[in-house]
Amino acid sequence: MDNELHAVTQIRNFNRFYTSVLGLLDQDILKSGYSLTEARVLLEISRCDHCMANTLSNTLKIDRSYMSRIIKRLEKDSLIAKVQSQQDNRSNFIVLTEKGNKAINILGKKSDKQIQSLIKHLNSKEISKVLDAMQIIKSSISQEINPITIRDFIEDDIDYVICSHKLLYEKEYGLSSVFGDYVDKGVHDFVQHFNSKKECMLICEMDGRAVGSIAIAMANNETAQLRYFLLEPDTRGMGLGRRLVDMALDFCMEKGYNHVFLETISLLQVARHIYSSKGFSITNSHENTAWGKNILEERWDLDL
């Protein structure tokens, strides 16, 4: 009991300290002329090429009428623009304008500079200790604060799956927009011809925010393809990847498939380790230069 009370006291002390740190960091954003919420909306739009107002409301947990007012202001200031969807002329995507990109870059540089000023007195070993401590705190209590659920996809998730793949594969692996277009077309084809009796797309959700995905597509009555497996960087290391793959394979067995295959690239070392641990093996590989760099594509197969 004494240990628990001591822990409570220490956490409250740390909370007061960290609240002060956040307040210091937020001051620079307020100097930009935009509120913290408006800055968050701009940042979220910058992360995705195909963003919609409803998606923003769900992701950031902002009331839709308030979100509408924010979008109107950002549009009036020429920071964002609306572009009609090529797949559905009833839908409009929200994108950053050149002015909006400049604004988000300025905000990012200000935030980076202020964080650098906080850690400039630390050496590399001390910085590593701080980062390790942050990771321990996040992994230890994130499930209590932000429980993670896995659910079937809904229409609003389509943009998330496309955008997250485009952003992550460009940022982490240097793939070009050609890959993004490939994902865009693939996801829309999957949804357009979706067979609920033989196919699924699962969305991993934390605190109302989509943070990962996986899908099973039907190749034929006996063979399934595992697709669109992705986890956001801040959710990695929690065992979610294995959990998603297990659920996808369970779905395959439930639906009577006797074979599953997937296509990936050799750069995805963590995902490849999961595939190997589940019994998948590489059956084919070839070089691909179409996505902006020379990569090794692989096909992995598993008999159920």
Side-chain angles (χ1 to χ4, degrees), residues 290-302:
W291 293 340
K293 63 187 298 185
N294 190 14
I295 61 171
L296 185 65
E297 274 195 89
E298 300 172 339
R299 171 169 168 146
W300 292 60
D301 284 79
L302 170 68

Side-chain angles (χ1 to χ4, degrees), residues 37-52:
T37 304
E38 289 167 338
R40 288 176 64 210
V41 171
L42 274 177
L43 180 61
E44 191 64 28
I45 295 172
S46 73
R47 295 180 68 249
C48 184
D49 292 332
H50 294 74
C51 196
M52 301 180 74

Side-chain angles (χ1 to χ4, degrees), residues 26-283:
D26 290 343
Q27 287 175 11
D28 244 4
I29 294 178
L30 293 174
K31 291 178 184 177
S32 69
Y34 296 98
S35 69
L36 298 179
T37 304
E38 289 167 338
R40 288 176 64 210
V41 171
L42 274 177
L43 180 61
E44 191 64 28
I45 295 172
S46 73
R47 295 180 68 249
C48 184
D49 292 332
H50 294 74
C51 196
M52 301 180 74
N54 289 345
T55 307
L56 288 170
S57 295
N58 294 335
T59 301
L60 299 176
K61 302 185 77 172
I62 296 173
D63 178 79
R64 294 195 177 190
S65 60
Y66 183 29
M67 177 62 71
S68 177
R69 293 195 296 273
I70 292 175
I71 289 173
K72 285 181 180 179
R73 190 206 166 178
L74 298 179
E75 191 174 16
K76 181 180 179 181
D77 290 350
S78 300
L79 298 181
I80 63 173
K82 293 179 180 177
V83 179
Q84 190 177 70
S85 169
Q86 294 181 353
Q87 280 76 31
D88 184 356
N89 57 20
R90 297 168 299 176
S91 300
N92 289 313
F93 295 125
I94 301 169
V95 299
L96 289 183
T97 62
E98 182 178 351
K99 183 179 178 182
N101 275 306
K102 288 180 180 178
I104 203 67
N105 286 335
I106 291 172
L107 288 174
K109 288 177 180 178
K110 284 185 176 182
S111 296
D112 290 348
K113 185 176 180 181
Q114 200 154 28
I115 291 173
Q116 288 170 352
S117 70
L118 290 176
I119 62 174
K120 64 182 180 181
H121 65 287
L122 302 177
N123 58 40
S124 58
K125 185 176 181 180
E126 290 170 330
I127 290 175
S128 294
K129 289 176 67 176
V130 170
L131 297 179
D132 289 343
M134 292 169 64
Q135 181 59 42
I136 290 171
I137 291 173
K138 185 173 71 172
S139 60
S140 297
I141 64 176
S142 61
Q143 270 289 83
E144 292 297 324
I145 298 175
N146 298 313
I148 293 174
T149 58
I150 298 175
R151 56 169 176 78
D152 292 330
F153 84 103
I154 58 175
E155 186 176 352
D156 285 348
D157 297 318
I158 299 171
D159 293 328
Y160 164 75
V161 174
I162 294 171
C163 293
S164 59
H165 277 75
K166 286 185 174 183
L167 179 70
L168 186 141
Y169 279 84
E170 177 184 357
K171 182 178 181 180
E172 297 194 354
Y173 307 111
L175 301 192
S176 70
S177 60
V178 177
F179 172 78
D181 294 340
Y182 165 78
V183 173
D184 193 322
K185 183 178 184 304
V187 172
H188 278 104
D189 285 347
F190 174 80
V191 173
Q192 184 177 356
H193 302 99
F194 182 68
N195 180 350
S196 60
K197 295 180 179 179
K198 297 285 285 185
E199 296 178 317
C200 74
M201 181 184 287
L202 302 176
I203 301 297
C204 193
E205 190 174 75
M206 180 173 69
D207 192 29
R209 174 175 66 98
V211 294
S213 64
I214 197 168
I216 292 295
M218 182 177 69
N220 57 53
N221 285 331
E222 296 183 349
T223 302
Q225 181 180 6
L226 189 152
R227 308 191 72 180
Y228 310 124
F229 176 38
L230 176 143
L231 281 176
E232 299 290 347
D234 62 345
T235 62
R236 296 171 188 168
M238 301 179 184
L240 291 176
R242 292 181 181 276
R243 185 177 167 191
L244 280 173
V245 172
D246 282 340
M247 292 180 69
L249 294 180
D250 287 345
F251 177 87
C252 290
M253 289 186 283
E254 178 186 331
K255 298 303 179 181
Y257 291 113
N258 56 33
H259 189 83
V260 185
F261 76 94
L262 63 92
E263 295 173 336
T264 187
I265 58 177
S266 61
L267 297 174
L268 276 64
Q269 293 298 319
V270 176
R272 293 169 83 251
H273 180 72
I274 294 175
Y275 301 146
S276 178
S277 70
K278 300 302 178 184
F280 283 90
S281 59
I282 300 174
T283 56

